[in-house]
Amino acid sequence: MLSVMLVLFAVLLGTDVVIKKRVDEELNLGEERELRSSRFVIRKVYNRGFLLNLFDRYPAAVRGLSALAGAGVLIWDCLTFAKKRNYVRKVGMTLVSAGAASNLFDRLAMGRVVDYIGFRTDVSDESDKESKGKKFLGKITANLGDVYLVLGSVLVMAGEILGVLWPGRK
């Protein structure tokens, strides 16, 4: 089981790192490329802070806290994989670890994370609440590592819930 999770981790991490490198090399900062028939765009954005550039004015603190969080994920991984069963939680932690490692690598190596997945919202009128919400959504840019973190967190929670509801059937 551990070897399967290591392969999954490597594939997920490698995919995000390769896409980030390609976006970083081929797009100008802020440039967007639309995907046909999709609500998504490829957009090059540098995130020097946490979620939505939070604390971007404190790069040393962001790097330090990111390294600390990465160490926490590694410890949590060790605890998760030391236990038998609970495969849902293990897959979730593999996703969380791949996302965290990808973003941590960017942050420590370059001092910023390359984000590239944006949402096309086509908002022309800002008068109502829905338009303002769409405009906000249109400003959000993420990467696959962020997607891995969210999906992995959901799976970890689901694994925990399943463990509580059906002990021994994880």
Side-chain angles (χ1 to χ4, degrees):
M1 179 65 163
L2 181 60
S3 59
V4 172
M5 292 301 134
L6 286 173
V7 169
L8 178 61
F9 171 84
V11 168
L12 294 170
L13 175 61
T15 301
D16 193 36
V17 168
V18 166
I19 292 172
K20 285 179 182 178
K21 182 171 176 39
R22 188 162 176 206
V23 166
D24 203 25
E25 291 173 351
E26 295 183 15
L27 273 72
N28 294 318
L29 192 59
E31 180 182 348
E32 281 188 9
R33 294 191 186 163
E34 292 192 20
L35 301 174
R36 281 185 251 163
S37 304
S38 175
R39 296 302 255 169
F40 296 100
V41 294
I42 302 298
R43 174 189 309 140
K44 180 178 174 180
V45 175
Y46 291 144
N47 185 347
R48 297 185 194 303
F50 295 117
L51 178 68
L52 301 174
N53 268 324
L54 186 64
F55 298 120
D56 63 337
R57 293 185 181 152
Y58 308 100
V62 169
R63 279 193 303 276
L65 289 171
S66 295
L68 189 62
V73 168
L74 180 62
I75 291 167
W76 197 4
D77 278 340
C78 292
L79 296 172
T80 297
F81 285 95
K83 294 178 182 177
K84 293 184 180 189
R85 304 190 112 191
N86 205 334
Y87 304 113
V88 174
R89 182 176 180 193
K90 289 180 180 180
V91 171
M93 279 308 299
T94 301
L95 285 162
V96 167
S97 300
S102 176
N103 287 339
L104 182 60
F105 173 77
D106 272 10
R107 196 168 311 285
L108 295 179
M110 299 181 296
R112 63 181 188 258
V113 174
V114 178
D115 287 334
Y116 53 85
I117 301 170
F119 302 98
R120 185 176 59 213
T121 56
D122 302 326
V123 176
S124 58
D125 177 25
E126 299 180 28
S127 61
D128 63 7
K129 274 187 168 182
E130 185 177 331
S131 293
K132 288 180 183 178
K134 285 182 179 179
K135 186 175 180 182
F136 174 75
L137 184 62
K139 291 180 182 180
I140 295 174
T141 309
N143 58 53
L144 279 179
D146 298 332
V147 174
Y148 301 158
L149 284 164
V150 171
L151 292 176
S153 297
V154 169
L155 286 176
V156 168
M157 287 188 298
E160 290 302 310
I161 291 168
L162 288 173
V164 169
L165 295 177
W166 295 286
R169 303 263 310 157
K170 303 173 188 177

